[in-house]
Amino acid sequence: MRLLRLPGVYAPQGDSQLLLDTLRELGVPPGARALDLFTGTGVVALATARLGARRVHAVDSSADAVLTTRRNARALRLPVVARQHDVRNLLGRPAHRFDLVTANPPYVPCPPPGTLPVTSVPARHRDRVGEHTWRAGPDGRDHLDALCATATRLLAPGGVLLLVHSEICDSRRTLRLLRAGGLRATVAARRVQRFGPVLHAQAAWLERRGLIRRGQREEELVVVRAQLPPTGEPREGACDGRR
């Protein structure tokens, strides 16, 4: 699927492909109401519509990403509606519930701006992709924790969240937080890939923080699948009266 991409919009990469592969393997409920967070070019939102969703709401904080997604949806004649929102603010007050939520949030751990020479990232990459598409705080979880805390309120009964991120920012924490919210959460897919330009530029800092092993230049990507049980079924971690 050839897509338009304006400058600064996140280009589909290995994480996008792993999420797409998992989405295709697990399928989309016919007529599903879907939400794609951090949509970028809209590649996952568009695939969700092609796989049978009735309507897909695509959200990104970048005006260029929203414009890119709208143009791609129009060109492909797919039922994708793109809106610009600060996703963290949106997560604080979700207005709707969805049968399927997909998310490829920024997840690269990084120090506060100005404390690390990000100029070590090749200039052609900095010009092509904005820092907002990857910068995610000192442990990479600025967006992940907010999403985990809100997932239960985003999903309709029986609804599913598919969330991709790197093992560098701790999939066990993701699973723990989602289960604490009552969701049935598992790792649905894994893939190892070489570091890209951003992680290579951050590698020494990541080593000092203990987030990667010395000399490590590969990361494992994971897709976490979390489901809100259908109405009437007990939620994960719910007390059933037994000790």
Side-chain angles (χ1 to χ4, degrees), residues 203-231:
W205 179 82
L206 292 169
E207 289 176 351
R208 291 195 298 272
R209 285 288 313 279
L211 294 173
I212 63 173
R213 303 181 307 277
R214 185 172 297 278
Q216 178 182 338
R217 296 298 181 267
E218 290 183 334
E219 61 174 333
E220 183 177 40
L221 300 174
V222 299
V223 175
V224 172
R225 179 188 186 274
Q227 182 177 30
L228 182 66
T231 303

Side-chain angles (χ1 to χ4, degrees), residues 3-208:
L3 298 177
L4 166 76
R5 185 179 66 84
L6 294 177
V9 175
Y10 184 74
Q13 298 180 46
D15 48 9
S16 308
Q17 189 60 55
L18 183 60
L19 183 55
L20 285 168
D21 291 346
T22 306
L23 181 67
R24 291 174 182 132
E25 181 179 347
L26 297 179
V28 174
R33 180 185 176 92
L35 172 67
D36 183 46
L37 299 171
F38 312 96
T39 198
T41 60
V43 62
V44 175
L46 297 166
T48 300
R50 277 187 162 175
L51 289 168
R54 174 172 55 89
R55 191 176 184 85
V56 184
H57 296 261
V59 176
D60 203 289
S61 61
S62 163
D64 286 336
V66 170
L67 180 58
T68 296
T69 299
R70 286 176 180 170
R71 289 181 176 177
N72 285 327
R74 190 179 304 120
L76 295 169
R77 299 182 179 180
L78 290 170
V80 174
V81 178
R83 295 283 186 269
Q84 183 182 6
H85 290 286
D86 182 321
V87 176
R88 284 177 294 186
N89 291 341
L90 180 68
L91 291 175
R93 45 182 176 80
H96 303 287
R97 291 178 178 264
F98 299 89
D99 304 304
L100 175 66
V101 176
T102 52
N104 184 4
Y107 55 74
V108 176
C110 52
T115 61
L116 185 74
V118 180
T119 51
S120 55
V121 178
R124 65 181 183 279
H125 189 80
R126 294 200 310 276
D127 294 341
R128 200 169 65 240
V129 180
E131 287 187 25
H132 68 278
T133 66
W134 53 266
R135 182 178 286 279
D139 57 3
R141 298 201 59 93
D142 277 4
H143 301 280
L144 289 169
D145 285 347
L147 180 54
C148 289
T150 313
T152 301
R153 290 183 285 138
L154 284 173
L155 294 171
V160 169
L161 165 70
L162 294 178
L163 167 63
V164 64
H165 67 77
S166 173
E167 270 289 8
I168 292 173
C169 41
D170 192 358
S171 65
R172 288 176 297 181
R173 177 177 172 84
T174 299
L175 294 171
R176 188 165 61 249
L177 291 174
L178 291 168
R179 290 167 182 167
L183 302 178
R184 298 169 180 169
T186 59
V187 173
R190 298 179 182 271
R191 176 179 298 166
V192 175
Q193 66 177 27
R194 298 287 297 173
F195 281 1
V198 171
L199 281 175
H200 268 295
Q202 313 258 89
W205 179 82
L206 292 169
E207 289 176 351
R208 291 195 298 272

